[in-house]
Amino acid sequence: MNDFTKDFAQALFNPDKINDLLRKELQQAVNNLLEAELTAFLGYDPYARNGWNTGNSRNGAYFRKVDTQFGPIEVQVPRDRNGQFHQHTLPDYKQHSDILESMIIKLYSKGVTTREIADLIEKMYGSHYSPAQVSNISKQMIPKVEAYHKRKLSDKFFCVYLDATYLPLRRETFERETVYIAIGIKPNGHKEVIDYCIAPSENIEVWTDMLQNMRFRGLMEIESDLLVFYNYPKQIRASIYSTNMIESFNNVIKRKAKPKAEFPTEQSLNTFIGIQAMSYNDRYFNRIHKGFGQVQDTLESYFD
């Protein structure tokens, strides 16, 4: 019996105490979600070494009171030093169920399990959603993921990183499925998860098919020499010679997938990764990778 169960048993015959207990649990859950949202935005955990010298960091929090059916809760909304972070955990409470469905999709993308989402929604809004309903709502993302895989690609990427990671998937037995990922940087410095695919194991045939599909969808020109970065302007060498960028994305996927233990179907895994890829692309849509802004005209000339 954990502490929450003990406290709940003690408060069982006192409605006021039950409400107070649930209010405190809800307050903690929302604050945890907000902190997790900032961690996903920054791309590193608090005090992590890989967050040093990234150009942005945590910058305290501001407090906000939120009314719930169990009484007001005090929320600590975290801030980043550059002022670019905008939380999406707390919607406008005056809007109705479409906002709840949007919130469910966001929570699902953060790795929160369907049962945990159902419990949290009911505690916050008094709206009952079963885990099956939450799962069905998350399936609204399937057409968007399919469109992502079919979208026309930019014809030029200055560099492309390829890597595979492994996530648990239940087929006939429990397996760790291979997720093939391609991330690129365009000559203008914009980063993008170009595509990904899922297969039972890593092999050259899958990589070949994936690259041919990317070419079919419009990507025509990449520098092919692994050491060619030595010929590039010094302003960008330090930011492109390592695989930190794609490894960081892989780590985000694995961290968010960890609470799920395993994915029941390949479609659920595909939807989950698709949400992460589209979120990454939205986040970096107008951000220029380190050093690229200084030499953009020079980089464009490599494709003349």
Side-chain angles (χ1 to χ4, degrees):
M1 182 178 289
N2 58 34
D3 290 340
F4 175 78
T5 306
K6 291 178 181 176
D7 292 341
F8 190 85
Q10 293 174 2
L12 189 59
F13 300 102
N14 190 324
D16 291 336
K17 288 187 177 180
I18 291 178
N19 279 352
D20 187 56
L21 179 62
L22 292 176
R23 181 183 59 79
K24 290 178 180 177
E25 287 294 315
L26 177 58
Q27 179 173 286
Q28 184 62 52
V30 172
N31 284 321
N32 288 344
L33 283 170
L34 288 167
E35 185 58 38
E37 190 174 359
L38 178 61
T39 294
F41 174 81
L42 293 175
Y44 61 88
D45 293 319
Y47 311 112
R49 294 177 66 87
N50 63 341
W52 295 1
N53 301 318
T54 58
N56 201 0
S57 60
R58 289 167 171 79
N59 188 32
Y62 66 89
F63 294 86
R64 169 180 166 187
K65 284 191 175 181
V66 179
D67 290 328
T68 74
Q69 69 178 99
F70 305 110
I73 62 175
E74 186 171 73
V75 175
Q76 299 181 48
V77 182
R79 297 180 294 198
D80 67 312
R81 194 160 297 279
N82 293 347
Q84 298 172 333
F85 172 68
H86 300 287
Q87 66 84 22
H88 300 287
T89 296
L90 299 172
D92 182 348
Y93 297 106
K94 294 182 180 178
Q95 301 178 43
H96 53 79
S97 61
D98 56 337
I99 291 295
L100 290 182
E101 294 186 0
S102 176
M103 184 179 181
I104 286 171
I105 292 171
K106 290 181 183 297
L107 292 173
Y108 180 82
S109 74
K110 297 179 188 300
V112 184
T113 67
T114 55
R115 186 168 299 279
E116 289 170 337
I117 293 173
D119 291 344
L120 181 58
I121 292 295
E122 185 164 10
K123 287 179 180 178
M124 289 183 69
Y125 304 104
S127 300
H128 177 72
Y129 285 80
S130 69
Q133 287 175 307
V134 170
S135 178
N136 288 334
I137 290 171
S138 69
K139 290 178 182 178
Q140 295 176 12
M141 293 300 297
I142 292 177
K144 294 183 179 180
V145 173
E146 292 174 347
Y148 163 84
H149 283 302
K150 296 176 181 178
R151 77 195 191 286
K152 184 174 176 59
L153 299 176
S154 171
D155 61 338
K156 299 173 184 176
F157 277 86
F158 196 73
C159 49
V160 172
Y161 301 85
L162 304 176
D163 195 15
T165 190
Y166 301 87
L167 292 176
L169 172 66
R170 178 169 293 280
R171 290 187 186 273
E172 293 182 0
T173 59
F174 173 81
E175 301 288 349
R176 293 187 68 80
E177 205 79 355
T178 307
V179 182
Y180 298 72
I181 300 171
I183 293 183
I185 307 177
K186 300 176 184 178
N188 62 7
H190 292 173
K191 295 181 286 190
E192 181 178 323
V193 179
I194 303 171
D195 205 3
Y196 67 90
C197 67
I198 302 167
S201 61
E202 185 174 7
N203 60 67
I204 190 63
E205 289 80 12
V206 177
W207 279 121
T208 300
D209 289 345
M210 182 176 172
L211 293 172
Q212 288 178 343
N213 176 265
M214 288 161 53
R215 187 177 182 85
F216 176 78
R217 289 161 55 200
L219 199 167
M220 303 302 293
E221 298 186 54
I222 306 173
E223 301 296 339
S224 58
D225 189 341
L226 292 177
L227 299 179
V228 76
F229 70 86
Y230 283 116
N231 301 326
Y232 292 157
K234 63 181 181 180
Q235 291 91 333
I236 68 169
R237 289 178 198 166
S239 68
I240 67 171
Y241 84 94
S242 76
T243 58
N244 288 347
M245 185 172 68
I246 194 166
E247 289 174 0
S248 175
F249 178 72
N250 289 349
N251 288 336
V252 169
I253 289 177
K254 287 189 284 190
R255 185 177 70 245
K256 291 184 176 181
K258 190 173 182 179
K260 295 182 181 296
E262 66 180 38
F263 290 86
T265 64
E266 183 174 336
Q267 180 64 71
S268 65
L269 176 58
N270 183 40
T271 301
F272 175 78
I273 300 172
I275 293 173
Q276 310 310 317
M278 289 184 285
S279 175
Y280 182 96
N281 292 349
D282 288 343
R283 188 184 314 152
Y284 291 104
F285 180 72
N286 286 319
R287 298 189 193 181
I288 298 177
H289 195 58
K290 184 178 180 180
F292 276 68
Q294 304 170 45
V295 292
Q296 183 174 341
D297 291 342
T298 302
L299 300 181
E300 292 283 0
S301 70
Y302 281 86
F303 294 94
D304 293 340

